[in-house]
């Protein structure tokens, strides 16, 4: 049995709705795993009716978890303003994350699935985190971490995460690329159980710099970083980004490292919008999340698609099981 704790995300967005729709799907199947949901009571009750949920549940506190397949840990009721980021929604989303982390830290849960949050709501609540990834890394006091995106079609990672385009070039460093490739290799082997992963690295500039004519990051930073690791890992690049996607070269690789957010997220979401999963690599914690945001425009209307959070649940279980298998194999050797 794997114990998965879900956060509610921003309660003014679609997070609670997609979580409950996923629970309905999971609990109708032959589920042997345990789900814990951390959410305000009034929000849960609204979406339980809206989604016509039929699953059974038990209400508990965060000090004890039953063996029932779905346990609810309620936060204090919160003010709801569907479709808008607010100070209250940012505060509630943060409380849900921290309560969930407490459950994991106290061995009451094995992995975390996070519903979408709003950076604006976090800011309104006085919380200085651009996203889940940075918050979770701080919780573990980790500096070497990465945002990965997983699917049946593409697995990809970001060298830089929520950084303005104007700052990307100065953030591209040889040692940072080396650490990223090393982390990707370890993560793919341990968490996805791919023994010798093929890794592609994209260039930063149009035409991958065209030998320094359109930028020198490729010749001076990216290519030397790749070359320094080619005796250890199956890593190639830097590839011309548009041709890499257009020619479907991505199909030849187990993982792709992109230099910045949209370089990866645009093609990834184009191919996997309702089935992609966000995974934080480099942490002891197993955390997955939908690859979409709060979708304020359809919040509270019962129109949200739960496919991505359902896939996040499945990947959380898969990674937990793979890590246990990896530990068992290392002990047997």
């Amino acid at each position: 049995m794997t114990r998965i704790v879900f956060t509610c995300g921003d309660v003014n967005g679609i997070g609670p709705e997609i979580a409950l729709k996923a629970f309905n799907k999971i609990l109708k199947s032959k589920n042997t795993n345990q789900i814990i949901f951390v959410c305000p009571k009034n929000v849960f009750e609204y979406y339980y009716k809206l989604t016509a949920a039929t699953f059974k549940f038990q209400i508990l506190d965060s000090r004890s978890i039953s063996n029932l397949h779905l346990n609810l840990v309620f936060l204090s009721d919160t003010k709801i303003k569907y479709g808008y980021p607010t100070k209250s929604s940012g505060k509630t989303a943060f409380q849900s994350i921290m309560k969930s982390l407490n459950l994991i830290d106290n061995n009451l849960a094995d992995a975390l699935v996070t519903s979408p949050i709003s950076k604006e709501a976090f800011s309104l609540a006085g919380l200085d985190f651009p996203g889940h990834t940075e918050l979770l890394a701080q919780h573990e006091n980790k500096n070497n971490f990465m945002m990965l995106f997983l699917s049946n079609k593409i697995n990809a990672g970001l060298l830089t995460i929520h950084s303005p385009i104007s700052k990307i070039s100065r953030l591209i460093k040889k040692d940072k690329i080396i650490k990223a490739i090393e982390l990707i290799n370890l993560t793919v082997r341990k968490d996805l159980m791919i023994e010798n992963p093929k890794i592609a690295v994209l260039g930063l500039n149009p035409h991958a710099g065209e030998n320094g004519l359109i930028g020198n990051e490729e010749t001076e930073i990216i290519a030397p970083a790749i070359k320094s690791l080619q005796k250890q890992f199956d890593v190639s690049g830097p590839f011309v980004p548009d041709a890499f996607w257009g020619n479907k070269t991505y199909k030849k690789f187990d993982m792709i490292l992109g230099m910045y957010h949209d370089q990866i997220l645009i093609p990834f979401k184009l191919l996997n919008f309702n089935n992609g999963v966000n995974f934080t690599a480099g942490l002891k914690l197993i955390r997955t999340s939908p690859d979409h945001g709060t979708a304020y425009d359809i919040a509270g209307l019962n129109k949200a698609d739960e496919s991505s959070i359902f896939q996040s649940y499945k990947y959380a279980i898969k990674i937990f099981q793979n890590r246990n298998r990896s530990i068992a194999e290392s002990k047997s050797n």
Side-chain angles (χ1 to χ4, degrees), residues 202-261:
L202 302 183
L204 172 66
N205 297 293
H207 303 196
E210 203 158 316
N211 294 318
L213 293 176
I214 317 176
N216 57 15
E217 286 84 0
E218 287 79 9
T219 56
E220 295 184 6
I221 303 171
I222 303 173
I226 294 168
K227 187 175 181 180
S228 71
L229 292 174
Q230 285 181 323
K231 290 183 179 180
Q232 298 172 254
F233 308 129
D234 188 346
V235 55
S236 307
F239 290 94
V240 174
D242 58 346
F244 183 85
W245 298 117
N247 295 332
K248 300 183 179 180
T249 307
Y250 63 86
K251 291 186 175 184
K252 300 178 182 178
F253 293 91
D254 300 303
M255 185 63 74
I256 302 147
L257 176 62
M259 296 295 108
Y260 61 93
H261 188 276

Side-chain angles (χ1 to χ4, degrees), residues 39 61 65 75 86 129 134 158 163 168 180 236 246 267 285 305 307:
C39 182
D61 61 36
I65 300 298
L75 302 172
T86 63
F129 294 101
E134 296 84 354
L158 300 177
S163 301
I168 297 297
S236 307
L285 168 73
D305 188 322
S307 301

